[in-house]
Amino acid sequence: MSFMKNLPEKFSDVVRKWRAAESQRMIYGIHMPHTQRAIEDLLESLQKVFESFPAFSVVRKDQGMEIVVKNDVEGNDAPTSVNVPANLPSLPKIFIDLKINSITLSTGITAKELKEFFTGLSTKIEEIEPHGGLKGFLQKQGVSHIKVDQMKF
């Protein structure tokens, strides 16, 4: 059961740093040093999580968010996935507005990719739709370690 051990604690720092990066982006904009520093802090936190898990998804559940971690370790009898509540209050509305089912982050993510991701999240709907939504926007920016499951129109 080591897969489930301390799972919420492993992601609490990610959630805290994610909220800080989102807050800094909303206050100062994506290109300001405050925001860039917050994104770097989030990246450090993500890299620690990726030492234990190669990927995880952030999904909307009801009016909140959850982190879903898959157990891909062969021979491990732990549940195939575990859901951890994630206090990310700005994301449910963004997911609805941008028609997103989930976002999956994986090992190898870079600060540039996170910057593009937060840029996409803050782009007006009418500006991001011609790119194919957030999914298309990230693909055009060369982001390969953040996958978006976009709702079908």
Side-chain angles (χ1 to χ4, degrees), residues 7 16 20-21 37 41 56 62 85 100 130 139 147:
L7 204 54
R16 191 168 12 86
R37 197 167 26 257
D41 290 346
F56 67 90
D62 301 321
I100 297 170
Q139 287 173 339
K147 302 291 183 200

Side-chain angles (χ1 to χ4, degrees), residues 2-17 45 48-49 52-53 67 69 82-85:
S2 64
F3 172 70
M4 290 177 48
K5 187 179 181 186
N6 301 323
L7 204 54
E9 291 82 15
K10 289 181 190 239
F11 285 97
S12 66
D13 192 54
V14 168
V15 169
R16 191 168 12 86
K17 303 265 174 79
S45 185
K48 289 177 187 171
V49 165
S52 301
F53 308 104
I67 293 174
V69 182
V82 177
N83 297 11
V84 178

Side-chain angles (χ1 to χ4, degrees), residues 132-151:
L134 181 61
K135 180 178 184 174
F137 174 81
L138 293 177
Q139 287 173 339
K140 287 178 182 172
Q141 303 307 316
V143 175
S144 61
H145 297 97
I146 302 173
K147 302 291 183 200
V148 176
D149 179 15
Q150 198 97 20
M151 293 179 193

Side-chain angles (χ1 to χ4, degrees), residues 13-77:
D13 192 54
V14 168
V15 169
R16 191 168 12 86
K17 303 265 174 79
W18 187 309
R19 288 182 66 168
E22 180 70 5
S23 174
Q24 297 298 311
R25 180 201 56 80
M26 289 169 37
I27 294 169
Y28 300 107
I30 195 70
H31 300 289
M32 297 304 287
H34 294 71
T35 307
Q36 296 304 307
R37 197 167 26 257
I39 288 172
E40 289 288 338
D41 290 346
L42 173 58
L43 180 61
E44 283 180 30
S45 185
L46 287 169
Q47 289 170 337
K48 289 177 187 171
V49 165
F50 292 139
E51 290 172 4
S52 301
F53 308 104
F56 67 90
S57 298
V58 179
V59 299
R60 186 171 68 89
K61 181 173 182 186
D62 301 321
Q63 297 303 311
M65 302 303 296
E66 282 188 344
I67 293 174
V68 179
V69 182
K70 302 266 188 227
N71 175 16
D72 295 333
V73 178
E74 209 171 302
N76 190 332
D77 62 354

Side-chain angles (χ1 to χ4, degrees), residues 18 22 25 30 90-91 94-95 97-98 100 103 114-125 128 134 137-138 148:
W18 187 309
E22 180 70 5
R25 180 201 56 80
I30 195 70
S90 65
L91 281 188
I94 291 171
F95 270 48
D97 291 349
L98 295 179
I100 297 170
I103 296 170
L114 282 174
K115 180 180 173 186
E116 296 297 346
F117 172 70
F118 281 106
T119 298
L121 288 182
S122 63
T123 303
K124 293 180 181 175
I125 297 165
I128 204 162
L134 181 61
F137 174 81
L138 293 177
V148 176

